[in-house]
Amino acid sequence: MISLAKSTIKKEMQRINKRKEFSIEQYEHLLDEFLNHYTFLKHCDLAEKKEIDDKYIIVRHDVDHDYLTAMKMAEWERRHNIRATYCLLHTSWYYGRLDGDRYVHSQELIETAKSIQDKGHEINFHNNLVSVALRHGLDPLRLLEQELEFFRTNGIVIKGTSTHGDALCRELNYRNWELFKECCCDRFGGPRTLVYEGERGRTEVDLGLVSMSNLGLTYEAYDFSKDVYHTDSGCRMRTRQTTRGRVMFDRANEQGAIAGILTHPIWWSFD
């Protein structure tokens, strides 16, 4: 395990802090309509439900490169009795470094994960594995197994993943969730072999062969259908109605509903 240089952290955070667009007050306003009418669930808790018989809201934070703001958000949510899901990206600058066919993790990564989990939140693995495997000629399953072992050995519970939108996804028309056979449907082409010509020459990754259940994973974050979904992707707040997910719950009870919120801490100021 390595520790990040203070100069590196300072430089990165100076760059990140220039991108802040939203405030704590705006986050409070975003939550207002749900606080007294919805039950807050972590994604792993929703995944265990067989039917939706009440109004639930799932809050997800794609930590990406701003782990310091993520920890501030986690503490604010703890004080407001909100439990959320925090997705840690293995290609972020603070995660560590890729050394051959495995990651060397940073002390800051494990401290961040423990801090957030200890506040009652869920840690999720933000999956960019197909993209990394294609660029570096690696086995994505082996990488995932190593990362899950690392977190679990250090007391971090990982029950789900969330796909990361990498530039290579758009170039080759795939989603990182397609690594899993449970998620690799005909929407983008079904199980297939991706071929990439990059700096390391020709690399290939087979999609749809990895079993989530065999890895102790119970969901992918885009599994869940939602009646209303607020997202700040691309630093632009917008609302979507009736987003469909892979898992379609029994909605016979008309009182049941799912709302979702996705934020990226890099856009938010929690000072």
Side-chain angles (χ1 to χ4, degrees):
M1 199 172 295
I2 60 174
S3 292
L4 300 175
K6 291 182 178 180
S7 59
T8 298
I9 296 174
K10 181 178 180 180
K11 180 181 179 181
E12 290 293 335
M13 292 313 300
Q14 285 176 338
R15 177 180 62 82
I16 287 170
N17 287 335
K18 294 177 181 179
R19 308 179 73 177
K20 303 299 183 186
E21 294 290 340
F22 305 120
S23 66
I24 295 176
E25 291 73 22
Q26 287 171 292
Y27 191 52
E28 291 177 326
H29 179 71
L30 185 63
L31 295 174
D32 275 347
E33 65 178 292
F34 305 108
L35 288 176
N36 297 320
H37 308 290
Y38 284 70
T39 299
F40 283 81
L41 291 180
K42 295 175 287 188
H43 283 58
C44 59
D45 296 328
L46 182 59
E48 294 179 356
K49 287 192 167 294
K50 302 302 181 184
E51 64 178 22
I52 301 303
D53 54 0
D54 202 346
K55 293 183 177 181
Y56 300 106
I57 179 169
I58 49 176
V59 178
R60 168 184 157 198
H61 303 293
D62 283 0
V63 176
D64 289 349
H65 303 289
D66 192 354
Y67 73 101
L68 293 178
T69 298
M71 286 194 288
K72 294 175 184 178
M73 295 181 81
E75 172 58 21
W76 185 93
E77 289 173 332
R78 183 197 66 79
R79 289 190 276 107
H80 289 79
N81 296 313
I82 295 168
R83 298 297 177 262
T85 297
Y86 285 78
C87 310
L88 301 182
L89 177 63
H90 55 102
T91 48
S92 61
W93 65 273
Y94 73 90
Y95 192 95
R97 67 171 185 267
L98 193 60
D99 185 6
D101 63 352
R102 65 174 52 245
Y103 281 100
V104 177
H105 304 95
S106 75
Q107 187 66 37
E108 287 74 12
L109 167 67
I110 198 62
E111 290 174 355
T112 296
K114 288 181 176 179
S115 173
I116 292 173
Q117 181 174 272
D118 287 348
K119 292 176 173 60
H121 305 295
E122 175 191 6
I123 299 299
N124 170 289
F125 185 79
H126 204 14
N127 169 22
N128 200 25
L129 290 166
V130 175
S131 302
V132 169
L134 287 170
R135 288 194 175 101
H136 297 274
L138 300 176
D139 178 356
L141 173 57
R142 183 179 179 186
L143 273 178
L144 179 56
E145 289 174 333
Q146 291 170 174
E147 294 313 289
L148 292 176
E149 180 182 9
F150 165 76
F151 281 112
R152 291 165 177 168
T153 299
N154 281 279
I156 304 302
V157 178
I158 302 285
K159 292 186 176 180
T161 66
S162 54
T163 201
H164 179 66
D166 191 274
L168 199 56
C169 296
R170 295 184 289 276
E171 181 179 337
L172 299 182
N173 192 32
Y174 68 91
R175 299 295 184 271
N176 279 292
W177 69 50
E178 293 187 278
L179 175 65
F180 303 115
K181 67 179 183 181
E182 294 92 338
C183 305
C184 193
C185 62
D186 292 335
R187 181 180 174 189
F188 298 102
R192 61 197 185 279
T193 299
L194 295 177
V195 178
Y196 177 60
E197 297 286 350
E199 293 182 1
R200 295 179 179 270
R202 180 188 174 95
T203 57
E204 297 182 358
V205 169
D206 293 323
L207 301 180
L209 299 182
V210 176
S211 170
M212 295 178 67
S213 59
N214 288 346
L215 296 167
L217 299 171
T218 60
Y219 75 89
E220 210 289 328
Y222 287 95
D223 278 351
F224 308 114
S225 58
K226 306 174 189 70
D227 296 279
V228 61
Y229 181 45
H230 299 295
T231 173
D232 69 354
S233 294
C235 197
R236 183 168 62 89
M237 289 301 307
R238 56 194 182 277
T239 300
R240 299 173 180 172
Q241 303 292 334
T242 317
T243 63
R244 296 177 64 86
R246 183 176 63 89
V247 178
M248 301 301 293
F249 294 96
D250 179 1
R251 308 303 289 276
N253 188 328
E254 293 183 359
Q255 299 303 311
I258 300 175
I261 292 176
L262 169 63
T263 81
H264 297 74
I266 195 170
W267 308 129
W268 295 81
S269 176
F270 264 67
D271 293 324

